[in-house]
Amino acid sequence: MDIKNFSTKRVNLLIILISSLMMIVVLNLPFKAKPFGDMTFHEEAKHLALYLKGDIGYDKVTITKAPGPVFFYTAPYLIAPSDATDNQLWVYAVVFTFIIITISLLLIFKIGSSLFSKEVGLLSVLLFFIFPIHCYYSLGILAEVPAFFSLTLALYGWSRIAKEARETKSWLLLLLGLWFLILNRPNTMLLLLIGFLLVVYAFFKNKQFFKTYGKKLVLTFTCVGLMGYGTLQLAKMVTGTKSGYNQEGLLYFVAHQGRFQFREEPTDFRFWESDIRPDSKDYQNWGKSGEALGKIIEETKRSHGDVYREFLINDALEHPFLFTRQFFVKCFYGHMYFINSVKPKDFHLGPIHGVMGYWLVIFIINFINIIIILGAALFLVKEKSLNNYWLFWGVIVALLIFHGLTYMEPRYMFPARVALYIMSAAGLYRLPWIQRKVNYLSGLVFTTKSVS
C-alpha cells in the first residue's frame, strides 16, 4: 500500500471526525452567533433562490451589501423546498457551512504541509481545534465562513504556485480565491494595492522573486480588481432603486460608527448595540452625531454621502490624537474575543457560571488567542523570505488598516485566521518543546512503517 496516500487519508478522516465532534459541541453551547446575522444576507439569498426557482419576480431580488455571501447561501437555499421556513433554511445553510469549513481545514493541512512540513500542517489544524472559533461562526448566516473559505482557496493556490510557478491551475485558484474574498469582504480590496507594492519592491530588491512571480502576480491582481469591481457594479444594478440601502451608504455608516468607537472609552470592549451598552458615552455621542448630520442633510439638501464624508475628514483632522489612539485600540480589539450573546451574570457553561465564570472563560479564550498571535509574530521575525508569504501577512495588514480607520469587530478579522494560524504553527514549531510534542503526535497520526 502507498504509505503516503494511506497517511493522507487517515489525516483527512481525523479532520472530518474531529470537525464533526467540535460542531456538535459548539452547537450545544449556551452562547452562539446570531443565527441570521442582521438578516440581510439570509433574506437576499432566500429571494435570489426563489427567483431562480421561478417562485417570485425579479422585483424582489436585491443585493445591498457584499454580493459574495448572497451567492454563497443561495446555493443551499436552492436545494431547500420553496415553502421552507427560515429555521429550516438555517439548517440547510449550517450543513453547507459545515461542509465548506471542513473542506477548508483539509486544505489548510495541505497548505501547511506544502509550504513547511506535514508537522506544521498538522499543528495548523490542531490550533483550530484548540480554539474552534470557526465552528462558532459556522452557526450564523454571516459573511465570515465564505470569506474564510475564499482566503483558504487563495492560499492553497499560492502554496501550489510556490512549488511550481508555471502551473496555470494554481494561478486560477489564487485568482478565484482573491476574487471571491473581495466579493465577501470588499474591504480586502486593499490587499491588491499591497500586492502591487510588493511587486514594485521585488523589482528593485528581489529580482528572483520578480522574475519568478512578478508579471503573473500583476496580471492576477489586475484581473481580480476588474472582476471584483465588475461584480460589485452588477450587484448595484440588480438592486437599482428597489432598496434604499447601498454599499456606499453602508461604508459611510460604518466609518461614522468608527469615529466614536473607543473615542472617549478606549477600554470599553462591549459590543456596539443599544441593548448591550446603552450607558456608553461613545455610543450615546454616536447617536447624537447621527441626528445632527441628519438635520444638516435635511436643511441643506446636500447628499448623505457629501455630509458624512465632510464630517469624517474634518473630525480626523481636528482630533489627530484620538484618531491615532482609536486606530491602535481597534487593531488590538480586532484580535480579542468576548462573548456578547449572554450577559456575564447570566453566563453558564457546565459548572462554570456567573460573572467570575464568564471572565474565566474569556481569559482562557484570549490566552490561547494571544499564544497563537505570538506564534505568528515569531514566524514573521524569524522568517527571512517574507516576500514568499505576502498573502499571509498582506491580508492581515489590509484588514487592520481598513477597520482600524473605520469600525472594528473581531469577526471582521476572522477570514485572516487562516493565514494567522498557519503562520503561528510555523512559528511555534520552531520552539523545541512544542516541536517535540508535535513530532510525537505526528508519529501517532502518520504512518511511518511499511504497510503490506
Side-chain angles (χ1 to χ4, degrees), residues 324-378:
T324 304
R325 186 179 70 179
Q326 285 173 281
F327 176 85
F328 288 106
V329 175
K330 290 175 194 175
C331 290
F332 170 78
Y333 174 63
H335 286 94
M336 297 295 105
Y337 282 94
F338 299 89
I339 300 170
N340 294 294
S341 57
V342 61
K343 294 181 179 179
K345 64 183 180 65
D346 300 324
F347 180 82
H348 67 90
L349 182 62
I352 305 173
H353 56 84
V355 175
M356 291 298 294
Y358 173 87
W359 287 111
L360 175 62
V361 171
I362 294 298
F363 173 79
I364 294 172
I365 288 173
N366 285 295
F367 179 77
I368 296 171
N369 194 34
I370 289 170
I371 295 297
I372 291 171
I373 293 170
L374 290 176
L378 177 63

Side-chain angles (χ1 to χ4, degrees), residues 230-246:
T231 310
L232 292 173
Q233 290 303 306
L234 177 62
K236 197 184 221 180
M237 289 173 56
V238 168
T239 302
T241 59
K242 291 180 278 187
S243 173
Y245 296 96
N246 56 60

Side-chain angles (χ1 to χ4, degrees), residues 116 119-120 123-124 126-128 130 367-380 382 420-439:
F116 304 103
E119 288 80 13
V120 171
L123 182 55
S124 300
L126 289 176
L127 291 178
F128 277 101
I130 293 171
F367 179 77
I368 296 171
N369 194 34
I370 289 170
I371 295 297
I372 291 171
I373 293 170
L374 290 176
L378 177 63
F379 168 77
L380 291 172
K382 295 292 186 179
L420 181 69
Y421 281 40
I422 296 173
M423 286 195 298
S424 181
L428 293 174
Y429 190 69
R430 293 171 183 261
L431 301 176
W433 65 278
I434 290 183
Q435 188 174 120
R436 287 195 296 271
K437 297 293 184 184
V438 174
N439 288 345

Side-chain angles (χ1 to χ4, degrees), residues 9 58 96 110 131 137 156 178 183 221 224 241 275 304 365 381 385 390 410 424-425 441:
K9 289 178 180 179
Y58 179 70
F96 184 63
K110 289 180 179 293
F131 185 36
Y137 285 126
Y156 178 60
L178 290 176
L183 296 190
F221 297 149
V224 170
T241 59
D275 59 337
H304 176 277
I365 288 173
V381 170
S385 304
W390 65 273
S424 181
L441 289 174

